[in-house]
Amino acid sequence: MTDITLLKKGRIGHITLKRPQTLNAVTYEMCVGIESALDAWRYDDEVELILIDADGDKAFSAGGDLHAMYKTASAGNFDYGRAFWQDEYRLNAKIFEYPKPYVALMQGFTMGGGVGVSCHGSHRVVCENSQIAMPECGVGLVPDVGGSLILARAPGRLGEYLGTTAHRMGPGDAIYAGFADYYIPQEAWADLTERLIETGDVGEVDKAALPVPDSQLAARQDWIDRHFAGETAADILRGLDDSELAQKAEAMMRKGSPLSVAATVQLVRRVRATDDIRTALIREYRFTSRAASEGDFIEGIRAAVIDKDRNPKWSHARIEDVNPMSVANMLMPLGENDLTFETG
């Protein structure tokens, strides 16, 4: 598979994303390949740990490959996207629950589907140019790939803030919010990789780590907690003050699908109450499986990825126009079609 390499090297299982021309967007085939490799290495005594990295300087992975989803969904075929999400979410849970250390080296952009194959690992490394975000509302989705659980576990109301504004986190912010663990300059990664291959000792990550950079989010925590505690997204908007920070937050919230923004607030709250990766993924899937047939996904992808006019015509004009019942309908159980974690 030219888009990814899956190799045993010394004492590690080494995964490398190799689509730098697309910012290493994760395809369906890549998800299947990663899962197969993890299954094989799980019981391989020669493999002490997993290392995932990516080619290129701009991005570890800026998200999932949405072109195939758009092509099928816009033609009225919603099964492809649902199958993709089912298999991708199973992989996300598998990474979260993996019994061996899972080291992720995340340079540049790590967003959406890229978060799903990295930020559930046990040893998550960022560097000086790392930018991590959950921008799904901008394409008519909600934070998924298990990202809702990371958001729910973030300090205070950071989850609501990050999920609805798509705020990009630098290395200090990413570690503070719980999306990463270690700060290691990128120039040290090649040497770290060689030591991991030779020794299989995940303690090498700790040895290479430097002090965590300052976090802007930590400095803004009190403000975020005050202004993102509203019961609904509309309540949050009504409660914002007239500060520059509030104006930027509102502008970012209003760029996303109003339905998605409203649902994200409720999703993060529900996931926070359960604090379980599989429950989080099940709740995410209830929305994403309906996103093309009943939500704004097709229009969001058209405006952001296909036509790139950045002018989506959402199903609701404003966040304030979203009926709570519309949110409830997108997040309600799917009955026999609810997500399972079985193969095939």
Side-chain angles (χ1 to χ4, degrees):
M1 186 183 299
T2 58
D3 291 340
I4 190 171
T5 57
L6 306 157
L7 299 172
K8 283 174 58 175
K9 295 181 180 179
R11 304 299 298 169
I12 75 170
H14 195 180
I15 303 166
T16 301
L17 311 183
K18 300 178 70 65
R19 303 183 72 215
Q21 73 281 4
T22 66
L23 301 181
N24 291 312
V26 179
T27 66
Y28 198 163
E29 292 73 22
M30 291 164 73
C31 286
V32 172
I34 293 172
E35 183 178 26
S36 296
L38 292 180
D39 287 344
W41 293 334
R42 182 186 186 101
Y43 301 107
D44 188 334
D45 292 338
E46 295 181 353
V47 175
E48 298 286 345
L49 61 83
I50 309 302
L51 173 66
I52 185 168
D53 57 18
D55 284 353
D57 293 325
K58 292 184 178 180
F60 167 77
S61 173
D65 188 344
L66 300 173
H67 286 83
M69 285 195 183
Y70 176 82
K71 182 177 180 180
T72 53
S74 60
N77 175 9
F78 307 122
D79 290 339
Y80 174 85
R82 290 167 181 161
F84 189 150
W85 282 311
Q86 285 176 344
D87 291 344
E88 182 180 27
Y89 294 1
R90 185 178 63 249
L91 170 62
N92 303 145
K94 191 163 289 187
I95 293 170
F96 186 96
E97 298 167 350
Y98 206 67
K100 296 181 179 181
Y102 187 102
V103 180
L105 303 181
M106 301 178 286
Q107 79 276 14
F109 296 122
T110 301
M111 301 179 180
V115 167
V117 297
S118 59
C119 293
H120 297 309
S122 60
H123 294 68
R124 305 162 300 174
V125 178
V126 287
C127 64
E128 58 275 14
N129 75 341
S130 296
Q131 293 283 310
I132 300 180
M134 297 300 289
E136 287 80 5
C137 288
V139 292
L141 295 176
V142 290
D144 67 334
V145 297
S148 66
L149 179 62
I150 307 176
L151 293 174
R153 289 180 168 182
R157 299 295 182 175
L158 268 186
E160 288 90 334
Y161 174 78
L162 295 170
T164 59
T165 66
H167 174 83
R168 292 182 180 180
M169 296 174 279
D173 283 346
I175 293 172
Y176 178 74
F179 281 78
D181 306 295
Y182 300 92
Y183 175 72
I184 302 175
Q186 194 172 5
E187 66 180 10
W189 286 8
D191 183 56
L192 172 61
T193 298
E194 289 305 313
R195 295 201 306 274
L196 292 174
I197 291 171
E198 179 182 354
T199 68
D201 180 9
V202 76
E204 295 291 342
V205 179
D206 294 270
K207 293 177 185 178
L210 295 184
V212 177
D214 291 338
S215 166
Q216 292 182 341
L217 290 178
R220 299 171 181 173
Q221 185 72 65
D222 289 344
W223 184 91
I224 291 170
D225 289 350
R226 286 197 310 273
H227 290 88
F228 280 78
E231 189 67 25
T232 67
D235 291 334
I236 289 171
L237 285 172
R238 283 190 285 268
L240 291 176
D241 58 28
D242 59 358
S243 65
E244 181 179 356
L245 185 57
Q247 293 173 18
K248 290 182 178 179
E250 178 174 359
M252 291 304 297
M253 290 176 71
R254 294 197 183 280
K255 284 185 178 181
S257 154
L259 179 61
S260 294
V261 171
T264 293
V265 173
Q266 300 309 311
L267 174 64
V268 170
R269 304 274 169 83
R270 295 182 188 188
V271 171
R272 185 178 289 135
T274 54
D275 193 43
D276 174 76
I277 184 61
R278 294 195 174 207
T279 302
L281 289 162
I282 288 169
R283 292 185 184 280
E284 294 169 3
Y285 182 74
R286 290 171 180 172
F287 186 100
T288 57
S289 69
R290 295 178 169 112
S293 57
E294 302 172 42
D296 288 323
F297 177 65
I298 295 175
E299 176 61 9
I301 297 303
R302 182 207 62 77
V305 179
I306 306 302
D307 296 337
K308 298 182 180 179
D309 60 23
R310 308 291 176 182
N311 187 32
K313 302 297 187 291
W314 303 122
S315 58
H316 299 78
R318 304 182 309 151
I319 294 169
E320 293 87 343
D321 298 332
V322 180
N323 188 306
M325 188 57 66
S326 298
V327 173
N329 288 340
M330 294 296 289
L331 295 174
M332 69 188 303
L334 292 161
E336 64 181 14
N337 294 318
D338 252 336
L339 178 68
T340 67
F341 296 90
E342 300 173 0
T343 304

